[in-house]
Amino acid sequence: MARYELRFSGAGGQGLITAGIILAEAASIHEGKQAVQSQSYGPEARGGASKSEVIIDDVPVDYPKATKVDALLALTQEACDKYSADLKDSGILLYDTDLVTKLPEGGFKKVGFNIINTAKNEVGREIVANIVALGAMIALTGVVSRENGLKAVLSRVPEAFLELNEKAYAAGFEKATAAAK
């Protein structure tokens, strides 16, 4: 695998940094790849645009920031507007259809579904929207296997929430697979 750059973007407090950390762990711990994760958020911490970037490669990552993004998650319009400029034409934009209504121009593949609504109404808790989104990103990119992504999720959450997070991950994976067709 050549260098692959992913960016999770949305509002502070949506768990996107956690999603990035989990993906990096899935790649490095469970698949033996090289991975780095970095994050950026405004001074608001909650509510302002934030991003988490993950770089995955077979060789040591020489630069830890995304420069030509292969896959972008946008959970808010502000994040989509702010962070989509360096998405490759061959890349993938995953977006929440309820919150991102103005899509950027480009040759990249656009895949959308109601990510936050899925977490809230189908899984049962809005707080797991980041895990729904993570499952979706893994389904669309194939950067790690479905199984190793799930292992990384379950190793990060408290025991009382294993079932909820497993359900969220599966919902995201399945919805993204269906939306991409």
Side-chain angles (χ1 to χ4, degrees):
M1 150 183 249
R3 180 182 173 104
Y4 199 89
E5 302 182 355
L6 301 98
R7 178 178 294 146
F8 295 82
S9 69
Q14 288 183 314
L16 300 170
I17 292 168
T18 300
I21 291 168
I22 292 170
L23 179 59
E25 288 178 353
S28 61
I29 296 170
H30 299 288
E31 297 210 350
K33 297 176 182 174
Q34 300 289 321
V36 296
Q37 183 273 336
S38 63
Q39 58 214 25
S40 170
Y41 43 89
E44 309 91 348
R46 288 202 177 275
S50 72
K51 67 177 176 174
S52 174
E53 295 176 341
V54 181
I55 315 296
I56 300 172
D57 207 335
D58 289 328
V59 298
V61 177
D62 58 358
Y63 185 68
K65 299 284 187 185
T67 55
K68 293 181 178 148
V69 178
D70 294 286
L72 170 67
L73 163 71
L75 287 184
T76 65
Q77 187 67 57
E78 180 187 4
C80 188
D81 296 344
K82 189 172 183 176
Y83 299 125
S84 62
D86 51 2
L87 181 58
K88 290 180 181 176
D89 270 347
S90 60
I92 300 166
L93 170 63
L94 170 63
Y95 63 97
D96 188 306
T97 54
D98 291 336
L99 299 171
V100 180
T101 55
K102 184 177 176 282
L103 297 176
E105 297 292 319
F108 42 83
K109 184 175 186 174
K110 299 171 181 90
V111 179
F113 70 96
N114 52 355
I115 297 167
I116 293 171
N117 189 50
T118 296
K120 187 175 183 178
N121 297 319
E122 292 180 35
V123 180
R125 298 278 309 271
E126 188 174 335
I127 197 164
V128 294
N130 63 331
I131 304 302
V132 172
L134 177 62
M137 285 287 268
I138 290 171
L140 294 173
T141 64
V143 291
V144 298
S145 71
R146 181 176 184 164
E147 298 73 27
N148 285 333
L150 180 59
K151 281 182 196 173
V153 168
L154 298 180
S155 72
R156 269 269 167 188
V157 299
E159 195 171 331
F161 299 103
L162 292 175
E163 190 177 317
L164 178 70
N165 281 275
E166 186 169 0
K167 186 177 177 184
Y169 181 81
F173 198 97
E174 289 154 19
K175 284 222 166 196
T177 302
K181 289 182 179 176

